[in-house]
Every structure is written in C-alpha cells, then in structure tokens.
Amino acid sequence: MPELPEVETVRRGLQPAMEGSKILKAEARRKDLRFPFQKDFIARLEGQTITGLGRRAKYLMADLNSGDVLLMHLGMSGSFRVLKGEGGATPGQFHHPRSDDRAHDHVVFHMSSGAAVVFNDPRRFGYMKIIARNAIEDEPLLKGLGPEPLGNEFDAAMLARSCHNKKTSLKAALLDQRVVAGLGNIYVCEALFRSHLSPRRLAATLATKKAEPTDHAKRLVDAIHSVLNQAIKAGGSSISDHRLTNGDLGYFQHSFQVYDREGETCRTSGCEGIVKRFTQNGRSTFWCPKCQK
C-alpha cells in the first residue's frame, strides 16, 4: 500500500497537468472500483476547474471551483499516467512494473491543459468519491484522522499526548491513523530504527505521567520528519506497484536502513547487531534488537 511519501510524490507529478486546469471530459469506464461511483460522478466533474491539488494522509484531494472535492485513493495497485500528445508519463515509483494493460484504465480526465490523466488499477482497491468541501469534516473516510506528520501541529508534545497511557506497542500506535495520519509499515520501521527505539516498546513511554514528551518522543518526531522528507525527495519507495506519474521508479528503497534487511549487519555505527524480522499486528517488523531499546 503506498504510504505518505509515495502519495505526495504522485500529487506533485499530477499538479502541473491538473491544477488550474478544467476537466473538459471525464470517463468512468466501469461502474465501480473498490466502491461504486456516485450516480452523478461524471456530471459533478465535467466543466469544473481544479483550483488546488492537495493531500490528506494517503488521499489525494482535488478542489473544484464548484465547491466540491474529488477524493482519490490509490489502493494497492492504483497508479496515474499523464498523457500529452503521443507521449506518456507517470507520477510515482516502485519495484514492480505498473500495469501496462489498458483494460485496467478505469478513469480518464481530459484536461484543458492538453493532458489526459489516466487512473489504472488492476486490483481495483483504489476508489474515488466527490464530497462537498463544507462537509469534509464529517466525511467518514477522513473523520478521525490524526495530524499530518509533516504539518506544523505534529510535534513531540502532540505525540506524547496521543500516546499517554496507551497500552499498545509503539509501532502499533504509529500505524494508528488516529494518532498520526499517513504513516505505514515501511516508514514506521525506518523511523523507529533511526530513533533507536524498539517497536515493542510501550507507546506510553513517549510521555511522562503528566503527558509531557520524553526524550524518546523528541527523537522519534525528528526521525519521522527526516525519513519522510528524504523519501519524498527520492520519489518514494518502489517495493510493490507504486510508480511516479512519469512511469519511473522511486529509489528510496536503496536508502532503507532496516526495512527488508533481515539477517544483515546493523548500519548503526559501532553496533554490529543483526537485523531481525518478526510479525507484529499482522505486519513484518524489521529492527535491530541490539541498538533499538
């Protein structure tokens, strides 16, 4: 599942083709993706100008001049392709090739910028939904999401308050979208490694009894900021179906310090521990038991 850096990379790839441009024609080539399209899906899109293309957690959000917002989720295998003239480009990069089967081109936006933006999704776990901007806070898909990890409000104090008295593991808390939005398995593993914190550590240890942040919380927030910014700069991690809008692969996977490195020597200077893997909350966790405490 693409995580925050991959979705942000896709957003930046789509921005030149979509932001400030009018949707001249929209095509939904089937009745549903993960969920059925709304009956007025096409009617609410055609003729509308995309005034802004943003991101919330793992969602892309296109603001329309009508006051509606087009909410888009990539799912597990969804990708966008930008076509201009006879050429093609794709925003997002990942290890396995994106689908070249045009039978999976399910949604197409023909933009006044001269670009056609195509959404391809073989597994159809992605979805799109139009919601009114003034009702966005009540939207079930977005309601309850925690702060953006790269936003101004996310800091050690906020993380400590969210984790105060939590009985879950630190890794489980970070994967909880109500605690912080957009983080997934890869970047949680990487951030915990960089902050030298065990994924098995209790989340509550990020806070004092008065819910103030400990040094652990400060180190972790710095590590989250660092790994996400580095991953975005690298175009995301290409480990499954994610690609950039120009079709290229991201290359942050070459910077993994711990993820998918089971059995290798720890990269912490002077540690010489061995990276281990275990299953935690149904997901593979990679860590160094020697230097992550």
Side-chain angles (χ1 to χ4, degrees), residues 194-247:
R194 293 181 184 210
S195 56
H196 300 295
L197 296 175
S198 168
R200 288 186 164 122
R201 169 185 283 274
L202 279 179
T205 60
L206 296 185
T208 65
K209 291 182 179 179
K210 295 182 179 180
E212 295 173 346
T214 63
D215 287 340
H216 299 319
K218 296 171 186 175
R219 289 207 317 265
L220 182 54
V221 167
D222 286 345
I224 290 170
H225 287 159
S226 174
V227 73
L228 291 180
N229 282 318
Q230 186 181 349
I232 290 169
K233 186 176 180 180
S237 302
S238 296
I239 60 168
S240 60
D241 297 290
H242 169 72
R243 279 180 178 255
L244 301 175
T245 48
N246 65 0

Side-chain angles (χ1 to χ4, degrees), residues 98-130:
R98 89 173 42 244
S99 171
D100 291 325
D101 189 343
R102 299 299 176 254
H104 301 306
D105 288 350
H106 300 312
V107 182
V108 183
F109 304 104
H110 300 272
M111 309 301 301
S112 63
S113 63
V117 177
V118 182
F119 182 67
N120 182 290
D121 189 2
R123 302 184 196 176
R124 298 202 308 274
F125 284 135
Y127 48 92
M128 297 185 185
K129 182 179 182 181
I130 301 173

Side-chain angles (χ1 to χ4, degrees), residues 6 58 93 98 110 121 164 173 192 196 207 230 269 277:
E6 289 75 55
K58 302 174 186 179
Q93 306 180 25
R98 89 173 42 244
H110 300 272
D121 189 2
H164 185 234
L192 288 172
H196 300 295
Q230 186 181 349
S269 179
R277 183 188 71 84

